[in-house]
Amino acid sequence: MQITWKKVTGVALFIVLVGYVVSVWWSIEPDTLTPQELTATEKNVVGYATTTSLILTVETLLDKQGGWLSNDVTPPSIFMDNMPAFEYGALEQARDLALIMRKEFSRSQSQSTADKDLSEAQAKLNIDHTSWLVPSAESEYRDGVKLLKLYRARMMDPNNQDAQFYARADNLNEWLKEVQKRLGSMSQRLSASVGQERLNTDLAGDNAARQSTPNLASHQVKTSWWKIDDVFYESRGASWALLNFMRAVEVDFADVLKKKNAEVSLRQIIRELEATQQTVWSPVVLNGSGFGLVANHSLVMANYVSRANAAVIDLTNLLSQG
């Protein structure tokens, strides 16, 4: 049987088309968690919503179309970068929450011991997201989810006093401080899509402050056009996960927020994060100049992220007040 170049080309084009369709299907972003998913229990146990939001967020990343793509080494996922960037952004938020749950939410004071299941779960979530052989990222993250479920079951058992979740203003503030740092970094990276001259404010506010090596008074910051879409989708993934967690915090810390008259501040954060999840109708992430003819999706995202960060700062200040 004679194989012609025409047949080879046809087969190759068919494979490329199938791969493209599959990659588009796998790039569909997951839905955010609903309040019903976070309160689906007859028992009103403090900590259930936050723990469940972390569990469901990680499970959703693992079980969405295509599964976990960040560590794939075969086509078509090896050629995809938007969804792996989304996964990484969401994973970073999950890692931060797992850390705070271990250090703050599950401990009554600084001298108390860390919960064993939470300690192991946090370690599992910190495995490299690109690891694909031994250990694979998916298997480690699933083990982490199992440990979180064990902690949740112990926490909900009225006969078990070992597993606790303390919903206090100071605990919540510790997590919000981590959120501020993430949102601030995201905003800066998104804004750098068009390039900007950035002044050095590293030592601002303290005349006696020093640093290891001197920096320039100002420097040019610009995200490579190869990385613009990655930064955009990483921020989108981080905002998606953070939105899930904020909805859970609204449930578990309801009494604290009410006492501080801070419910509206949290709802404002949620509203800004919801805006980051609007549908992107353009087939590519556009990078027009600030007031040019073409849109700049990164600057739009930076706007919502910055406003969410400002609302987080306001909430932190409210919680710090007596």
Side-chain angles (χ1 to χ4, degrees):
M1 181 178 178
Q2 185 178 5
I3 300 178
T4 64
W5 282 109
K6 196 173 187 180
K7 292 181 179 179
V8 172
T9 303
V11 172
L13 289 175
F14 177 77
I15 293 175
V16 170
L17 178 61
V18 171
Y20 175 76
V21 172
V22 171
S23 64
V24 170
W25 172 249
W26 286 356
S27 294
I28 297 176
E29 298 170 11
D31 295 330
T32 56
L33 301 181
T34 63
Q36 291 75 19
E37 292 177 288
L38 301 175
T39 56
T41 174
E42 296 179 358
K43 301 178 182 179
N44 186 22
V45 179
V46 173
Y48 176 87
T50 301
T51 308
T52 300
S53 71
L54 180 55
I55 291 171
L56 293 180
T57 294
V58 177
E59 283 186 333
T60 300
L61 292 172
L62 296 173
D63 298 331
K64 59 180 173 50
Q65 300 96 315
W68 185 259
L69 301 178
S70 295
N71 62 348
D72 284 2
V73 294
T74 57
S77 47
I78 193 174
F79 301 115
M80 300 169 60
D81 58 354
N82 291 346
M83 183 49 69
F86 181 97
E87 293 172 348
Y88 180 69
L91 178 63
E92 285 286 270
Q93 292 292 345
R95 287 170 171 172
D96 286 348
L97 180 57
L99 174 64
I100 295 300
M101 286 184 64
R102 177 180 70 82
K103 291 174 55 180
E104 305 292 342
F105 291 164
S106 64
R107 301 177 65 180
S108 60
Q109 54 190 353
S110 61
Q111 299 301 317
S112 59
T113 58
D115 187 270
K116 181 179 179 181
D117 287 335
L118 287 179
S119 297
E120 293 182 13
Q122 191 232 336
K124 294 288 186 181
L125 291 178
N126 277 307
I127 296 299
D128 184 4
H129 68 292
T130 62
S131 178
W132 63 277
L133 193 55
V134 180
S136 69
E138 296 100 321
S139 62
E140 292 296 296
Y141 298 158
R142 290 195 188 278
D143 288 344
V145 167
K146 292 178 183 177
L147 290 164
L148 289 171
K149 289 181 177 179
L150 287 175
Y151 163 75
R152 184 178 63 181
R154 290 167 45 230
M155 178 183 66
M156 296 181 66
D157 184 359
N159 298 319
N160 190 332
Q161 306 299 318
D162 294 334
Q164 296 288 344
F165 185 100
Y166 299 97
R168 303 195 310 260
D170 61 327
N171 284 355
L172 180 56
N173 246 347
E174 290 302 316
W175 177 60
L176 291 176
K177 290 176 183 177
E178 295 297 322
V179 172
Q180 286 182 37
K181 295 174 185 176
R182 292 290 186 190
L183 292 178
S185 175
M186 285 161 48
S187 177
Q188 292 288 342
R189 294 173 65 199
L190 289 165
S191 299
S193 63
V194 294
Q196 57 183 204
E197 189 76 13
R198 192 167 296 171
L199 298 176
N200 185 353
T201 59
D202 295 343
L203 303 180
D206 188 349
N207 290 331
R210 295 292 183 269
Q211 63 186 65
S212 301
T213 56
N215 285 341
L216 298 175
S218 64
H219 60 286
Q220 183 73 18
V221 179
K222 183 174 176 59
T223 302
S224 167
W225 70 276
W226 281 101
K227 297 294 183 180
I228 288 173
D229 59 332
D230 294 343
V231 173
F232 177 85
Y233 279 100
E234 182 182 328
S235 301
R236 196 166 167 89
S239 301
W240 170 81
L242 189 55
L243 177 56
N244 293 338
F245 302 152
M246 287 294 178
R247 286 173 173 168
V249 164
E250 189 176 22
V251 175
D252 283 333
F253 291 84
D255 293 339
V256 173
L257 295 169
K258 183 177 181 180
K259 179 181 178 181
K260 299 289 186 176
N261 197 24
E263 301 103 321
V264 176
S265 296
L266 181 60
R267 293 193 196 111
Q268 184 62 36
I269 298 172
I270 293 175
R271 178 172 295 183
E272 299 297 347
L273 291 174
E274 287 174 341
T276 67
Q277 301 304 301
Q278 296 178 71
T279 302
V280 180
W281 296 105
S282 173
V284 295
V285 176
L286 298 178
N287 189 46
S289 59
F291 294 101
L293 294 175
V294 181
N296 187 302
H297 292 137
S298 296
L299 291 183
V300 174
M301 179 69 77
N303 174 58
Y304 291 129
V305 170
S306 296
R307 287 164 57 176
N309 194 25
V312 170
I313 294 173
D314 289 342
L315 178 57
T316 301
N317 292 334
L318 284 174
L319 293 174
S320 300
Q321 298 172 3

